[in-house]
Amino acid sequence: MSCAEWEDLIEKELDGALPPGDAERLAAHLNACTECRADLADGREVIGLLHSLPAPEVPSEAWPSVREALARTQQRKRSLRRAVLAAAAVLLVGIPAGIVALHQVEDRAPGLDLTVVDLRNGVSAEEWAEYVSDFNEGWGVPFVPAPVVDGPREEDE
Amino acid sequence: MSTLTNEVRGSRDDSDAFLARQCAAGSESAFEEIFKRHSGRVLAVAARIVGDRDEAMDVLQEVFVKIHRRIGQFRCQSAFSLWIYRIAVHESLNWAQRRRSKVRPLPDAERVAAPQEAPEEATAMAALQALPPKLRAVAVLRHVQEMSHEEIAQVLGVPVGTARSRLFAAHRRMREALREQRSRERSES
């Protein structure tokens, strides 16, 4: 058995999960192999160091800053909700008129590129997905968003 | 402690699941109590995975904003603390990976050794920072938070065998980092 094959037993020993029969075999090998002995000793040392790491103390200002962050998030959510409602209202009122207007515009400028106002501006994909879910639950109106691509937006680059 | 938090403490049921329900119903005092109970472990995980105290404080804030946002989704199918660990590890890994892709890595000494750190702590942090973030998370959960393989697997959403093999890989890399550090120290002295 090569040293690489003993490594599995060394790992089990480090993890405190080495069966007694294997423990005897490993002990016999360790007596004869300095390399595996060093692996076990270094493994024990590094694990011991991790166990002794002191727990960091949570500073007293942490809770107020979390509370402020929550308030900011909720404010942003309210703004987003207002924006979606405004957009929905514009669509409801504007679609019939818009169809007529578009027809007229396209007659004059065929192939005109129409841009939709992007409500996701500055909102992460995750926040947007959660917002959509909240909106559907809160208003009982299915609101199917365009697919969201996570990552830097064109204007960020 | 605030009066609101005293109200929660004074109630008959102060379990995490009860607090989660109260919080989902809009109770700020319940959320404050959740923060008091769990912020220490979130900060411990974030500080070890991110490797920087100031950034760990930012992660702590992000994690609790997410906990607040998702608390209505907690279904008591797992321990509340594991649910929180899952968010904390996910957020810390995101943070570490974002930083790794944007920022030139600092030399070991600058990256981890705060002036007040004991040499043992600096060595442990250097060994952790030598790991890729996913292996670091496993090592932290196992040896700093003292979780079982099953709990680690639950937090990371991977099979137990994967958690175990990642842990073994982490041990190997940390042993190598320890040896490299020793040989650097020998060549400097």
Side-chain angles (χ1 to χ4, degrees):
Chain A
M1 202 170 169
S2 70
C3 282
E5 288 168 296
W6 287 103
E7 199 179 350
D8 187 49
L9 295 189
I10 290 173
E11 287 303 333
K12 284 183 178 156
E13 170 64 16
L14 286 173
D15 206 34
L18 190 64
D22 286 340
E24 284 165 24
R25 285 199 307 130
L26 179 63
H29 173 71
L30 291 176
N31 277 334
C33 180
T34 49
E35 202 180 317
C36 286
R37 227 170 25 240
D39 275 354
L40 183 61
D42 290 346
R44 280 183 176 145
E45 184 178 342
V46 82
I47 288 170
L49 288 170
L50 293 183
H51 277 292
S52 65
L53 277 174
E57 205 169 302
V58 179
S60 57
E61 66 269 21
W63 168 247
S65 72
V66 167
R67 207 170 40 196
E68 279 167 28
L70 282 176
R72 280 196 303 274
T73 306
Q74 280 161 351
Q75 176 60 39
R76 207 145 63 131
K77 221 169 169 178
R78 276 195 293 274
S79 307
L80 197 56
R81 178 172 292 223
R82 275 199 296 272
V84 169
L85 284 175
V90 166
L91 286 174
L92 283 174
V93 174
I95 281 174
I99 289 170
V100 175
L102 274 178
H103 188 72
Q104 289 171 348
V105 169
E106 281 193 324
D107 278 349
R108 287 175 207 161
L112 183 70
D113 185 21
L114 299 170
T115 306
V116 174
V117 175
D118 191 349
L119 295 166
R120 291 186 290 116
N121 200 19
V123 178
S124 73
E126 191 182 12
E127 271 184 311
W128 177 248
E130 282 176 15
Y131 174 71
V132 168
S133 152
D134 286 355
F135 186 90
N136 289 342
E137 277 174 27
W139 294 84
V141 179
F143 174 55
V144 182
V148 173
V149 179
D150 208 355
R153 302 168 68 81
E154 276 178 46
E155 57 268 32
D156 295 336
E157 288 178 338
Chain B
M1 188 174 290
S2 71
T3 316
L4 281 171
T5 308
N6 283 333
E7 278 171 24
V8 169
R9 281 201 179 283
S11 65
R12 270 182 292 180
D13 184 356
D14 67 348
S15 67
D16 281 339
F18 171 76
L19 288 174
R21 281 195 302 276
Q22 294 288 101
C23 179
S27 165
E28 189 185 319
S29 62
F31 190 61
E32 186 178 356
E33 182 61 24
I34 287 170
F35 180 85
K36 283 179 197 296
R37 286 184 189 187
H38 298 282
S39 53
R41 65 186 69 180
V42 169
L43 186 61
V45 164
R48 302 323 177 199
I49 294 178
V50 171
D52 178 282
R53 287 185 175 85
D54 291 337
E55 289 187 29
M57 287 301 298
D58 291 337
V59 174
L60 175 77
Q61 186 172 306
E62 283 289 310
V63 167
F64 274 91
V65 167
K66 287 203 167 150
I67 290 170
H68 189 268
R69 200 188 295 153
R70 296 179 189 168
I71 202 135
Q73 296 165 16
F74 175 66
R75 295 282 176 260
C76 304
Q77 284 159 347
S78 63
F80 188 66
S81 59
L82 289 187
W83 185 73
I84 286 186
Y85 270 124
R86 199 175 307 150
I87 297 173
V89 168
H90 184 76
E91 196 59 34
S92 303
L93 285 175
N94 276 348
W95 197 279
Q97 272 155 354
R98 267 202 306 268
R99 190 184 52 187
R100 202 160 70 144
S101 65
K102 282 182 185 167
V103 181
R104 176 186 63 85
L106 294 170
D108 285 351
E110 275 180 66
R111 186 168 52 203
V112 295
Q116 69 275 26
E117 265 180 0
E120 296 79 17
E121 191 179 347
T123 307
M125 287 303 286
L128 275 178
Q129 297 305 307
L131 299 174
K134 278 185 177 175
L135 298 188
R136 203 182 307 155
V138 178
V140 167
L141 294 176
R142 178 70 175 152
H143 298 302
V144 181
Q145 302 307 115
E146 306 192 347
M147 284 187 181
S148 68
H149 295 151
E150 287 73 18
E151 288 171 327
I152 295 170
Q154 231 179 309
V155 167
L156 299 179
V158 297
V160 177
T162 305
R164 191 177 287 121
S165 63
R166 281 188 193 172
L167 181 67
F168 289 179
H171 288 164
R172 224 178 359 258
R173 299 278 278 264
M174 286 193 294
R175 280 202 302 267
E176 288 163 10
L178 185 69
R179 285 171 190 164
E180 278 169 22
Q181 194 179 338
R182 276 192 204 135
S183 80
R184 260 200 313 273
E185 283 167 3
R186 268 198 300 273
S187 65
E188 281 166 12
S189 63

